[in-house]
Amino acid sequence: MGNFKFLVLALIFMGFGLKSQAQDRYAVFFKYKPQDTYSLSDPSQYLSQKALDRRLREGIQVDSLDLPVSQKYIDELRGIADDVLYSSKWFNAVLLVTNEEGVSAMEALPFVDKVEMVALDYIPSPNARVGRKIFASASLKICLPVNHRKLGTNENPYDFQNSLLRIPEMHEEGFTGKGIRVAVFDAGFPGTNEASALSHLFENNQILATKDFVKPWSENVYTANQHGTNVLSLIAAKEEGILVSGAPDAEYFLAITEEDATEYIVEEYNWVKAAEVADSLGVDIINSSVGYYDFDDPTMNYSPEDLDGKTTVIARGANIAAKRGILVVNSAGNYGPKESSLVSPADSEMVLAIGAVDKELNVSNFSSRGPTGDGRIKPDLATYGNGVALIRSNGNLGYSNGTSFSAPQITGLAAGLWQAKPEWTRAEMVENLIRSATQADAKDNLLGNGIPNFFDAYYGEILAVTGEEQILWKLFPNPLATDDLTIYFGQGLSAEFSVIDMNGKIIQSAVLIRNNPKDPFRTSLQGLKAGFYIVQMQDGVNLKRTKLFRQ
């Protein structure tokens, strides 16, 4: 992304004075964390009850990282800095705007550990004491070219992407993310508050909070780059025939962390601060369709070895969030097909990195590959990423490519699963998602463990527990690449089987028979053309239907 912004910065530098006079952004780290107001014995002062409940579920204690940064330190720096942006309790630091003279004064303070530049220039508050600024342009972040997928008769534009994860079955079971809190970190959410597919979020008060960490003085997140609107729609949309996503009934925290006009390491600090707020709000899942590797200032660039899941600013922040029980779902990146082309925090062992597949379920050419800098297999999971149906800032349906649009689909799946299994810890959620995936027994650096799905994640543990328990409705494989279909249904020895096309016409039917009610029914669909179908099973009054995609 840095290459696209270089010319903008060059023009900015030509128009201003010497670097020594610049007002840039810095992170000031403290040696100590004294507390006058807050204590570990009363965490309700700085953590919501939902955050405390999550810690209880995870079996973790409140610790010093949860305590706020010392206010007296912030006040003293405020007298030197041109502007104070925010503090980070996890890093015990403050992000601020100052010049080299201010840096020297801060470094001399006895409680300051170090001062690091995190970005050149600043987009200021109208009231800030900042004389020079950068100007946010129209989006320089580019969505990859779209490969439109031809829809079948009566097929919804979102059917294919949802069917891969078995979102329809999740919704049929009544799991739509209700009671789950999701944070979305991105570059902006224009049109979110006007799109009909997202209107229920406002009508039902499902927007938990909003915050712009790029411009902390701004109270409006429904602006800037539409990327965040696209991503949010793939988790929360609810408009039949246009877009229905996995978790329309969840609550949402919308945060702008990505600066559109430039690319500096400050964006990683924005992300960490947003994660701290998400933690305090009791968020269960962070969806992050952003990633970092190279910057407008080459001295900030990471080496391949740095992507070891422990070195980058954002990976360290994501690890802290995960240790507090938050599921962090992150796009793997769009730097494929090159090997070891991940972005951070997808390199973290504690982050679910999501790759992309095309309509043939092969790895998308652009999807970033592993391994990580320390040799681990990544990504962790994958799902559809070529021509993904989503909502644009004008409220209309659109299509786009990228792992940015694979990750939120997994987030929607996880939100529904956590509603269904609220007792699961973060680690158990990850374990069950991975166990349900298509190549969990043969993971690789292209797709990781493959494509997960609701049914196997939710019901799979029952199969593993005992052979005595019955699975009342399961059809696999789905999508179907071969001719042989296996069906778990009911408890009788026979059942009526039908395949119905999307026009409602029965094109194949038979009575299936088995010798033992514990065994599945088996049948062949040889000769069935590629496309979407409804499979129906009936045994007396017991009737089940589900969509089948024939490859």
Side-chain angles (χ1 to χ4, degrees):
M1 288 183 280
N3 292 336
F4 293 105
K5 301 171 183 174
F6 180 81
L7 180 58
V8 176
L9 289 174
L11 293 173
I12 289 169
F13 292 150
M14 290 171 60
F16 295 103
L18 297 175
K19 171 72 177 67
S20 61
Q21 301 303 314
Q23 290 159 311
D24 300 317
R25 283 168 282 180
Y26 293 84
V28 181
F29 297 87
F30 302 127
K31 297 176 182 177
Y32 319 109
K33 206 177 193 184
Q35 298 294 319
D36 296 325
T37 306
Y38 304 104
S39 70
L40 294 177
S41 62
D42 188 10
S44 62
Q45 293 178 297
Y46 43 87
L47 294 174
S48 69
Q49 188 57 51
K50 285 275 286 184
L52 295 173
D53 291 343
R54 172 163 32 78
R55 282 162 170 74
L56 182 63
R57 181 193 70 203
E58 297 287 326
I60 58 176
Q61 300 293 320
V62 175
D63 61 29
S64 62
L65 292 184
D66 296 310
L67 292 170
V69 173
S70 171
Q71 187 60 47
K72 65 181 181 181
Y73 290 174
I74 298 174
D75 291 341
E76 190 157 349
L77 292 181
R78 201 181 298 275
I80 303 172
D82 295 292
D83 202 3
V84 172
L85 305 179
Y86 53 78
S87 61
S88 169
K89 62 183 180 180
W90 289 353
F91 287 170
N92 196 24
V94 165
L95 275 287
L96 48 73
V97 182
T98 191
N99 54 26
E100 290 184 356
E101 183 179 343
V103 169
S104 297
M106 293 174 192
E107 288 176 330
L109 295 172
F111 54 83
V112 170
D113 181 33
K114 60 182 177 178
V115 181
E116 295 181 354
M117 178 183 280
V118 296
L120 297 174
D121 306 300
Y122 176 51
I123 304 173
S125 160
N127 299 319
R129 297 176 295 168
V130 179
R132 182 160 67 93
K133 62 183 180 180
I134 60 175
F135 296 88
S137 67
S139 171
L140 295 178
K141 301 193 186 297
I142 298 175
C143 290
L144 297 167
V146 176
N147 176 19
H148 287 283
R149 188 176 59 82
K150 185 177 179 180
L151 299 179
T153 306
N154 294 337
E155 182 187 340
N156 290 312
Y158 49 87
D159 280 347
F160 181 77
Q161 62 202 50
N162 281 358
S163 69
L164 291 184
L165 304 179
R166 304 192 71 169
I167 297 299
E169 288 93 329
M170 185 171 80
H171 288 178
E172 287 173 10
E173 294 283 354
F175 304 127
T176 54
K178 190 173 182 61
I180 305 303
R181 293 185 171 181
V182 178
V184 182
F185 299 170
D186 220 288
F189 303 90
T192 290
N193 54 338
E194 298 175 347
S196 58
L198 299 170
S199 61
H200 62 287
L201 300 180
F202 299 89
E203 294 166 358
N204 301 327
N205 296 315
Q206 291 171 239
I207 301 298
L208 183 66
T210 63
K211 183 63 180 176
D212 186 341
F213 294 96
V214 173
K215 297 179 287 186
W217 46 268
S218 173
E219 296 182 357
N220 180 25
V221 300
Y222 305 116
T223 184
N225 195 306
Q226 73 164 335
H227 190 268
T229 304
N230 306 154
V231 168
L232 175 65
S233 73
L234 288 164
I235 313 171
K238 186 181 181 181
E239 187 171 8
E240 291 287 345
I242 302 298
L243 182 62
V244 175
S245 299
D249 293 332
E251 295 178 293
Y252 290 90
F253 168 41
L254 308 182
I256 297 180
T257 64
E258 176 82 358
E259 192 166 305
D260 204 27
T262 60
E263 190 85 344
Y264 290 115
I265 207 167
V266 68
E267 296 177 36
E268 298 187 55
Y269 286 96
N270 295 343
W271 193 102
V272 174
K273 177 61 178 179
E276 293 175 10
V277 174
D279 174 38
S280 298
L281 290 170
V283 159
D284 300 291
I285 306 171
I286 292 173
N287 184 91
S288 169
S289 289
V290 301
Y292 303 96
Y293 177 72
D294 55 352
F295 300 92
D296 292 341
D297 179 353
T299 66
M300 296 181 180
N301 289 354
Y302 294 119
S303 69
E305 292 74 26
D306 288 332
L307 295 190
D308 59 2
K310 298 172 287 188
T311 298
T312 69
V313 170
I314 195 170
R316 289 187 284 126
N319 292 344
I320 295 172
K323 288 176 181 176
R324 277 153 174 69
I326 298 174
L327 178 67
V328 181
V329 181
N330 208 96
S331 50
N334 298 326
Y335 287 88
K338 186 174 63 176
E339 185 180 89
S340 294
S341 50
L342 298 164
V343 293
S344 196
D347 60 317
S348 168
E349 190 173 6
M350 304 191 77
V351 169
L352 269 183
I354 312 302
V357 300
D358 60 22
K359 62 182 179 180
E360 281 78 36
L361 306 188
N362 298 316
V363 62
S364 300
N365 187 61
F366 57 78
S367 187
S368 287
R369 273 72 161 166
T372 61
D374 57 343
R376 286 175 290 109
I377 290 178
K378 281 278 182 170
D380 298 291
L381 297 169
T383 194
Y384 191 54
N386 284 69
V388 179
L390 45 72
I391 300 299
R392 297 206 175 279
S393 58
N394 60 9
N396 295 333
L397 181 72
Y399 298 86
S400 199
N401 300 341
T403 59
S404 284
F405 308 125
S406 302
Q409 296 178 62
I410 300 296
T411 293
L413 170 63
L417 275 169
W418 233 334
Q419 178 192 357
K421 294 287 187 179
E423 71 277 9
W424 279 356
T425 63
R426 182 202 65 85
E428 288 171 330
M429 172 62 71
V430 171
E431 177 186 353
N432 283 286
L433 283 169
I434 287 175
R435 183 179 44 73
S436 75
T438 52
Q439 56 182 51
D441 295 330
K443 64 181 181 178
D444 58 36
N445 283 308
L446 302 179
L447 301 178
N449 294 280
I451 305 169
N453 73 87
F454 165 76
F455 197 96
D456 291 327
Y458 181 59
Y459 288 109
E461 62 177 9
I462 299 175
L463 285 172
V465 170
T466 172
E468 297 300 320
E469 298 187 59
Q470 295 290 323
I471 296 296
L472 298 182
W473 178 230
K474 181 179 180 181
L475 177 151
F476 65 93
N478 190 7
L480 180 67
T482 63
D483 293 331
D484 297 325
L485 187 67
T486 300
I487 307 170
Y488 281 93
F489 170 76
Q491 299 181 4
L493 296 179
S494 65
E496 297 177 20
F497 166 78
S498 302
V499 177
I500 306 168
D501 68 16
M502 300 309 290
N503 293 316
K505 180 182 178 181
I506 296 177
I507 59 173
Q508 187 172 332
S509 64
V511 174
L512 304 184
I513 298 174
R514 60 186 173 187
N515 295 322
N516 190 319
K518 295 179 182 179
D519 295 333
F521 292 103
R522 303 182 190 278
T523 189
S524 173
L525 294 182
Q526 186 176 4
L528 187 68
K529 295 180 180 179
F532 278 93
Y533 299 90
I534 299 294
V535 169
Q536 175 178 297
M537 292 287 287
Q538 185 168 6
D539 177 8
V541 297
N542 185 16
L543 183 147
K544 292 287 186 180
R545 290 177 176 171
T546 194
K547 282 185 180 177
L548 171 71
F549 178 61
R550 168 67 151 151
Q551 292 180 316

